[in-house]
Amino acid sequence: MEIVYEDNHIIVVNKKAGEIVQGDKTGDKPIVEMLKEYLKEKYHKPGNVFCGVVHRIDRPVSGLVVFARTSKALTRLNEMLRKGEIRKTYHALVEGRPKEPAATLENYLVSDGRINKTFICDSATPEAKHAVLEYRKLEELERYTLLEIDLKTGRKHQIRAQLAGMGHPIKGDLKYGAKRSNKDGGISLTAARLEFTHPVSKEPLSFSVEIANAGRS
């Protein structure tokens, strides 16, 4: 577990592909429980330790996730998230070369929980949700293109579904049409930059990490 930043109110973690933020039906230990154990041991805290989940990223995705160490910080961060005041920028290595150097993707998505997959659909489809993202090319490789993605809405598997929908699935993302898997079982999508105002000190914060699985082969 790589801790990028820690103070009395928040912890920012660089999640590895395969790790889960919160508990799920697999029973695997989530990062939030690892953090509680870490805080309990480091600060010799008796009893239960508070650690709040502010947001999540998919299991095969790597990158930055922020957690709250106090209920005050959690409440404020949740409100900031609701208002779009926590900016999350992603980097994705996709198959092929998108035609446009930069573009906005706008679709309607519906998720099928039975198979844990999201589909592009018609706007009239029951339970369809509007989804918007902007991308720009950062680098063109022989078989892949590195994109920077500014997510405007937060739908389940949104980036994965929309990029696959335009014919350029994320490297390693077999569920959405990638040709081959990555060695670690993750996909080449990283929550690469996180920018927000500290919920207590009001200091502007910015964190960044390199994209995982950015292989050039």
Side-chain angles (χ1 to χ4, degrees), residues 7-8 10 12 17 27 30 44 57 69-70 84 96 109-110 120 134 157 172 180 200 207:
D7 64 21
N8 290 333
I10 65 172
V12 180
H44 308 290
I57 54 178
R69 284 192 58 190
T70 63
L109 304 178
V110 63
I120 292 175
E134 295 176 355
H157 293 191
R180 57 181 65 86
V200 179
F207 307 98

Side-chain angles (χ1 to χ4, degrees), residues 15-203:
K15 183 183 99 64
K16 298 176 183 176
E19 292 179 330
I20 53 174
V21 173
Q22 263 184 316
D24 62 12
K25 61 184 179 182
T26 66
D28 295 339
K29 181 177 287 188
I31 293 176
V32 67
E33 294 302 323
M34 295 181 194
L35 284 174
K36 287 178 181 179
E37 292 176 1
Y38 159 79
L39 292 168
K40 187 178 181 68
E41 182 176 344
K42 181 176 180 178
Y43 297 104
H44 308 290
K45 287 182 173 288
N48 295 327
V49 176
F50 182 87
C51 186
V53 176
V54 179
H55 63 107
R56 297 181 294 275
I57 54 178
D58 294 343
R59 185 169 196 150
V61 179
S62 62
L64 296 164
V65 185
V66 61
F67 297 84
R69 284 192 58 190
T70 63
S71 58
K72 177 197 291 186
L74 180 61
T75 299
R76 291 180 180 178
L77 286 167
N78 282 338
E79 181 66 10
M80 290 162 62
L81 189 68
R82 187 185 68 80
K83 292 180 177 179
E85 295 173 352
I86 298 178
R87 185 179 179 189
K88 294 176 282 183
T89 304
Y90 290 79
H91 287 172
L93 199 64
V94 300
E95 294 183 357
R97 294 185 177 183
K99 292 180 181 179
E100 302 296 330
T104 298
L105 300 184
E106 191 167 357
N107 301 104
Y108 283 86
L109 304 178
V110 63
S111 293
D112 187 340
R114 296 169 300 174
I115 58 174
N116 193 31
K117 189 172 180 180
T118 295
F119 299 88
I120 292 175
C121 63
D122 184 85
S123 61
T125 303
E127 300 183 10
K129 295 182 179 180
H130 188 224
V132 182
L133 65 77
E134 295 176 355
Y135 78 81
R136 68 181 182 94
K137 293 182 184 180
L138 295 180
E139 185 180 359
E140 287 189 342
L141 311 172
E142 184 178 349
R143 289 187 288 177
Y144 301 101
T145 302
L146 182 61
L147 303 179
E148 181 174 87
I149 296 163
D150 186 4
L151 201 57
K152 300 300 184 182
T153 54
R155 310 306 183 195
K156 183 175 181 179
H157 293 191
Q158 178 181 338
I159 298 173
R160 300 166 69 181
Q162 287 192 280
L163 293 181
M166 73 168 184
H168 300 282
I170 296 168
K171 181 178 181 289
D173 197 0
L174 299 180
K175 176 170 283 193
Y176 287 92
K179 292 183 176 68
R180 57 181 65 86
S181 62
N182 288 333
K183 290 181 180 179
D184 65 357
I187 64 176
S188 298
L189 176 63
T190 297
R193 191 159 62 248
L194 196 59
E195 299 167 281
F196 59 97
T197 300
H198 193 285
V200 179
S201 71
K202 306 306 180 184
E203 175 190 2

